[in-house]
Amino acid sequence: MDVEGSSVKGYHPLDKYLRTDRLPHIWCPGCGLGINLGSIMRAIDRRVREGSLKRENIVFVTGIGCSARTSFYVNFDAAHTLHGRAVAFATGAKLAKPGLEMIIIGGDGDIAGIGGNHLIHAAKRNMDLIVVMITNFVYAMTGGQMAPTTPRGLYTTTTPYGNPEPPLNAVKLISSLNPNYVARASVTHPPLIEQFMYRALGMKGFRFIEVLSTCPEIFGRHIGLRDPVTLYNTLRSKVVVKQNPNVEESELDWEKGFVLGEYIMRDNPSYLEILGRR
């Protein structure tokens, strides 16, 4: 263990995948993003150690938002791009260098809201990308405005009487297109994030993983669950894990809960295969 100032070296087996000179991170206490990052690093570590993935081929791409700060902390090639443009940026990089494994991480506002059109068309093409969308149900970094995924009836700073709109169900939307893999996990179940990411890293085509996450400072505080443990336990009580759930079970409903699992797994020709470049 070697701790000096903000630099931490040799403290954890996954430190080699992190830019420890960037620590401590900026995420709030109780935020689920650290759990997500650790789970993804464990999946990558497994693939690298077994020889099915080369570390030097991995590229992280993020947009704007709390989740997008992930690209600051990973010790891989990474790009922090414009708001909502991570999928488009990664598509261009993949077409230029097909050997890269492009991993996009972003929040629900960045991926499904501002970048929603890029998400749809990448899934339609079965583009060779992995997209991990962190769903905390609000635009957190900008103060807690309603996001595309905000469940109906919940308070946000732009819906003080409760969200009157149905949420955008990204699992159902992406499943209706042409992806090879669609799954939903939660930071309350880190082994599932690792398991789904490990599987996605071994596949081709468009792979989409939604991760339900906790935001006690903004989302939780606004709905009366500011304490991180209380919010974590509340989310945990609302998720159910199923083997190969039906897409019709994927609704985002804060009252009825959320189904976790692998919704789509198939081996359709990827976009690069269609172009003859894989």
Side-chain angles (χ1 to χ4, degrees):
M1 179 176 177
D2 181 9
V3 180
E4 182 176 351
S6 61
S7 179
V8 182
K9 298 178 181 178
Y11 181 71
H12 191 279
L14 297 179
D15 277 356
K16 58 182 177 290
Y17 299 122
L18 299 175
R19 296 179 182 175
T20 54
D21 58 325
R22 292 293 186 96
L23 301 177
H25 57 71
I26 67 164
W27 294 325
C28 301
C31 173
L33 290 173
I35 296 173
N36 180 67
L37 176 59
S39 301
I40 290 174
M41 293 298 108
R42 283 190 286 275
I44 288 174
D45 186 55
R46 288 170 60 191
R47 285 287 179 186
V48 170
R49 286 190 289 108
E50 72 183 23
S52 59
L53 179 65
K54 293 182 178 179
R55 175 178 178 172
E56 60 269 26
N57 288 341
I58 299 172
V59 179
F60 279 82
V61 182
T62 63
I64 298 296
C66 301
S67 305
R69 302 289 293 199
T70 298
S71 61
F72 287 26
Y73 306 125
V74 294
N75 193 17
F76 298 91
D77 287 334
H80 189 217
T81 68
L82 298 175
H83 208 347
R85 302 297 178 256
V87 171
F89 184 98
T91 297
K94 183 69 178 181
L95 289 172
K97 297 197 69 172
L100 297 177
E101 183 68 90
M102 307 301 301
I103 300 173
I104 299 139
I105 297 180
D108 38 3
D110 188 46
I111 297 291
I114 295 172
N117 207 25
H118 299 301
L119 178 71
I120 290 170
H121 287 276
K124 176 184 75 73
R125 298 182 181 112
N126 202 17
M127 189 67 212
D128 298 72
L129 306 172
I130 297 175
V131 176
V132 179
M133 186 179 85
I134 312 299
T135 294
N136 61 11
F137 308 111
V138 290
Y139 280 95
M141 183 172 274
T142 52
Q145 297 86 354
M146 183 183 74
T149 55
T150 303
R152 179 176 278 170
L154 288 188
Y155 173 95
T156 71
T157 53
T158 50
T159 58
Y161 300 106
N163 175 26
E165 303 178 11
L168 189 154
N169 182 344
V171 165
K172 196 170 187 177
L173 172 64
I174 300 304
S175 296
S176 72
L177 300 169
N178 187 34
N180 271 350
Y181 187 68
V182 177
R184 178 185 284 154
S186 168
V187 298
T188 57
H189 294 65
L192 281 186
I193 305 174
E194 178 184 343
Q195 175 187 328
F196 296 167
M197 189 66 188
Y198 177 82
R199 190 187 302 280
L201 286 167
M203 299 176 68
K204 64 187 179 184
F206 193 79
R207 292 144 286 171
F208 178 81
I209 303 172
E210 179 180 37
V211 179
L212 306 183
S213 186
T214 51
C215 173
E217 178 58 29
I218 302 297
F219 175 73
R221 175 163 56 91
H222 287 161
I223 63 169
L225 300 171
R226 183 173 186 172
D227 175 69
V229 175
T230 302
L231 178 59
Y232 182 92
N233 287 336
T234 299
L235 179 60
R236 186 178 177 86
S237 72
K238 292 180 179 295
V239 299
V240 175
V241 181
K242 290 191 175 183
Q243 294 288 332
N244 304 317
N246 188 288
V247 171
E248 296 303 320
E249 300 177 273
S250 64
E251 294 303 322
L252 287 171
D253 191 314
W254 187 254
E255 298 302 322
K256 295 180 180 178
F258 312 97
V259 174
L260 311 181
E262 296 170 296
Y263 286 88
I264 299 288
M265 282 190 290
R266 53 197 174 201
D267 191 30
N268 287 345
S270 74
Y271 193 65
L272 290 185
E273 285 181 327
I274 293 171
L275 296 181
R277 299 181 63 181
R278 186 181 175 92

